[in-house]
Amino acid sequence: MSPTSQAAASRRGHTAATFDSLDPATGEVVGTHPVHTEEEVRAAVDLARTEAAWWAGLSFTGRKRHLTAWKAAMVQRLPELIEMVHRETGKPLGDATLEAGLAIEHIGWAAGHARRVLARRKVSPGLLMAHQSASVAYKPLGVIGVIGPWNYPVFTPLGSIAYALAAGNAVVFKPSEYTPGVGVWLAERFEEAVGRPVLQVVTGLGATGAALCHAGADKIAFTGSTATGKKVMAACAETLTPVVIEAGGKDAVIVDADADIPVAADAALWGACSNAGQTCIGVERVYVHEQVYDEFVDALTTKAARLHAGADGKIGPITMPSQLHVIRRHVQDALDKGGRAVVGGLDAVGERYVQPTILVDVPENSLAVQEETFGPTMTVAKVRDMDEAIELTNATAYGLGSTVFSKRHGMTVAERIRSGMSAVNGVISFAGIPSLPFGGVGDSGFGRIHGPDGLKEFTYAKAIARQRFRPMLTLTTFDRTEKTDRLFTRVIGLLHGPRTRR
Ligand code: NAD
């Protein structure tokens, strides 16, 4: 058990069960952590409530100073974080570095922009209420419960945690049972930098996450599978606790006839296979204009044939062993339905690693086209035109991210895709731009992290109307006369009647 897990466990008097996090490349134990119980989770939320009062009482500048110190503490010991991410997820060190760096960038943005987005500001009261001064501010909700996945154990939960903290909330974070060490490390650096447990971590399996939904938090920010997201929402409905659901995806790349084919092929391959394909916004499907289909498939397969998953490769192991069955089932189903593997195939799915797999001629009703595979695989299909590409892209229940390659039509095509985010002539680029909101529609969930929307997600809007002078027409009194009513009707007619041009 890590020192912080032990400290947290003893602070909560924890004596019972523990669980191990394992290195998916070797099966070795990376760390042992307490399985926090319902009472312990509740105690963490209670403590967070006290911390939230202190934290919310600071100014935006005060919180920014603390968040900047946290960020600096992380940067100072970055190699440790990268090693922990590498060991718990299996991803190559370079990918772990990229993830951590982007996450730290988000902390900086959230801390630096909270005042501009959330502080009280005046809004126009309108002509009817010109005697009022109207303003709105965004207040912290209190305690935010964050439930995280394992695939990006730094970037993904920090998308909620950093924005919730910058907005003035305290956070109780339940990391995935596959990456508890990363969660504990983040909270350790916070307590070191700030000196108070405004960010706490509770560890455990799904039951600990379920306990967090019932522990009295003011909002739950969940990132994980759609199936678990539904359970979280159902649990939170009992107490009318609001939720953000960042769930799975089935993202497509569209390649138009005028696209730069080598660039599109390189991006599609990286989008599908980096992090062993275990990316919510990873590329799972590609739709290519018939005029450039052969050229694209050639470029893609040539590149993919040089890519290798393994301890020495650029693709790490599959983090969650049970996912290997899902990947195998999707490839098998695609082949059974008449698809062909032009790279990889069923044999590519090994004991721990999956080699890149490119499937063509796969019917659209196949599992590999409709359900999240979460492996280094992709389907590539030929389309007549962009209308067909958009129609097929939109024909899944998910709607997280998407990508378009086209020199002239990128924006037009992107606008017509039903997804929370699109990248044009690049891949996954939106996730690295802190000012852009991140989130999906449909089975990919709802609510937004990142950007101004991500800050507001962890607040409630507080409106104030302050009377500046007595109005010509006092409307909110029982002393209102018929004359006032007639005048009011005339004003409404002038403002909104058929001849008004407003
Ligand atoms: P998961 O749903 O299995 O688990 C996510 C978290 O929920 C874990 O911490 C888990 O312990 C917890 N949990 C399990 N049961 C629970 C319950 N009943 N109540 C509350 N919490 C519970 O997901 P995963 O396998 O860890 O992550 C992979 C999934 O996450 C993929 O579907 C991926 O697309 C998705 N994901 C989405 C985003 C996004 O931003 N949209 C980002 C990363 C990952």
Side-chain angles (χ1 to χ4, degrees):
M1 203 184 299
S2 79
T4 295
S5 289
Q6 262 166 357
S10 66
R11 184 156 67 207
R12 298 184 189 115
H14 181 94
T15 49
T18 60
F19 70 104
D20 294 334
S21 75
L22 305 178
D23 182 333
T26 59
E28 277 169 32
V29 174
V30 179
T32 302
H33 300 268
V35 175
H36 285 126
T37 62
E38 223 171 295
E39 296 75 54
E40 288 164 331
V41 173
R42 193 167 277 281
V45 171
D46 289 348
L47 173 61
R49 187 134 332 268
T50 316
E51 292 305 305
W54 172 73
W55 186 245
L58 301 177
S59 62
F60 283 107
T61 315
R63 283 192 292 270
K64 182 179 170 184
R65 204 171 45 242
H66 286 304
L67 291 172
T68 306
W70 178 36
K71 184 165 65 95
M74 286 171 66
V75 172
Q76 206 170 18
R77 295 170 65 169
L78 201 56
E80 267 176 40
L81 175 62
I82 290 163
E83 179 65 19
M84 181 64 89
V85 172
H86 167 64
R87 293 208 63 205
E88 287 196 325
T89 65
K91 71 177 71 180
L93 290 167
D95 289 357
T97 310
L98 183 63
E99 176 187 347
L102 287 177
I104 288 165
E105 173 85 359
H106 274 282
I107 301 176
W109 194 93
H113 289 77
R115 178 202 295 278
R116 180 181 62 76
V117 177
L118 306 174
R120 184 158 294 282
R121 67 164 183 271
K122 289 204 164 171
V123 294
S124 164
L127 275 177
L128 261 186
M129 303 294 265
H131 60 293
Q132 299 280 344
S133 162
S135 67
V136 61
Y138 295 86
K139 304 274 192 184
L141 288 166
V143 178
I144 307 297
V146 175
I147 301 174
W150 46 265
N151 60 337
Y152 288 89
V154 185
F155 183 79
T156 294
L158 281 182
S160 296
I161 294 169
Y163 288 78
L165 288 170
N169 302 279
V171 172
V172 177
F173 172 35
K174 185 339 223 153
S176 164
E177 50 273 43
Y178 291 92
T179 53
V182 175
V184 167
W185 190 95
L186 293 172
E188 276 176 354
R189 297 295 79 71
F190 187 94
E191 199 159 346
E192 243 167 54
V194 178
R196 293 188 66 142
V198 182
L199 167 63
Q200 296 173 78
V201 165
V202 289
T203 52
L205 314 184
T208 305
L212 186 52
C213 299
H214 288 120
D218 298 293
K219 187 161 192 167
I220 296 291
F222 168 82
T223 308
S225 63
T226 304
T228 311
K230 289 177 186 174
K231 289 187 199 165
V232 166
M233 198 171 164
C236 289
E238 288 171 27
T239 46
L240 215 64
T241 304
V243 288
V244 183
I245 304 285
E246 298 287 355
K250 192 71 194 170
D251 290 7
V253 168
I254 292 179
V255 183
D256 201 356
D258 68 346
D260 182 328
I261 299 301
V263 170
D266 181 69
L269 185 64
W270 188 82
C273 296
S274 59
N275 207 32
Q278 306 165 114
T279 304
C280 54
I281 47 172
V283 173
E284 300 232 346
R285 305 174 287 153
V286 188
Y287 296 107
V288 191
H289 195 291
E290 58 187 9
Q291 285 172 16
V292 290
Y293 178 80
D294 291 339
E295 187 189 345
F296 177 84
V297 172
D298 271 357
L300 183 67
T301 50
T302 307
K303 276 212 117 155
R306 292 199 293 263
L307 198 59
H308 170 70
D312 53 344
K314 291 193 171 165
I315 303 179
I318 296 302
T319 308
M320 197 169 59
S322 59
Q323 198 63 27
L324 289 161
H325 307 302
V326 176
I327 300 168
R328 196 174 290 117
R329 194 158 52 84
H330 285 197
V331 176
Q332 180 74 64
D333 177 68
L335 300 177
D336 288 349
K337 290 200 165 101
R340 287 183 300 124
V342 289
V343 173
L346 256 192
D347 293 348
V349 187
E351 293 279 302
R352 293 187 191 275
Y353 292 88
V354 177
Q355 300 303 329
T357 292
I358 298 171
L359 300 162
V360 298
D361 301 337
V362 181
E364 288 295 304
N365 64 356
S366 307
L367 295 175
V369 178
Q370 291 300 326
E371 291 186 10
E372 190 178 52
T373 308
F374 236 49
T377 67
M378 68 179 119
T379 60
V380 185
K382 191 189 290 185
V383 291
R384 260 187 334 271
D385 53 25
M386 287 301 98
D387 286 344
E388 188 183 12
I390 293 162
E391 193 185 319
L392 295 177
T393 295
N394 287 344
T396 75
Y398 293 107
L400 195 54
S402 57
T403 303
V404 184
F405 279 94
S406 170
K407 291 199 182 92
R408 284 173 302 143
H409 309 122
M411 286 301 288
T412 334
V413 175
E415 290 281 16
R416 292 173 59 197
I417 300 174
R418 179 183 163 275
S419 69
M421 303 152 290
S422 292
V424 176
N425 296 331
V427 73
I428 305 185
S429 40
F430 44 77
I433 301 173
S435 48
L436 279 179
F438 186 105
V441 292
D443 275 7
S444 294
F446 52 83
R448 291 295 180 266
I449 56 171
H450 300 179
D453 302 76
L455 284 166
K456 285 185 185 167
E457 191 69 54
F458 300 105
T459 63
Y460 67 94
K462 169 76 180 188
I464 300 183
R466 179 178 59 83
Q467 179 154 313
R468 291 190 298 142
F469 52 83
R470 282 188 63 150
M472 304 263 285
L473 296 176
T474 304
L475 301 171
T476 50
T477 169
F478 287 116
D479 296 339
R480 207 173 61 220
T481 60
E482 280 182 20
K483 190 178 159 203
T484 313
D485 285 347
R486 277 198 304 278
L487 263 170
F488 178 68
T489 309
R490 276 192 62 194
V491 173
I492 290 295
L494 284 170
L495 291 177
H496 302 289
R499 268 165 293 174
T500 315
R501 292 233 176 121
R502 286 187 349 124

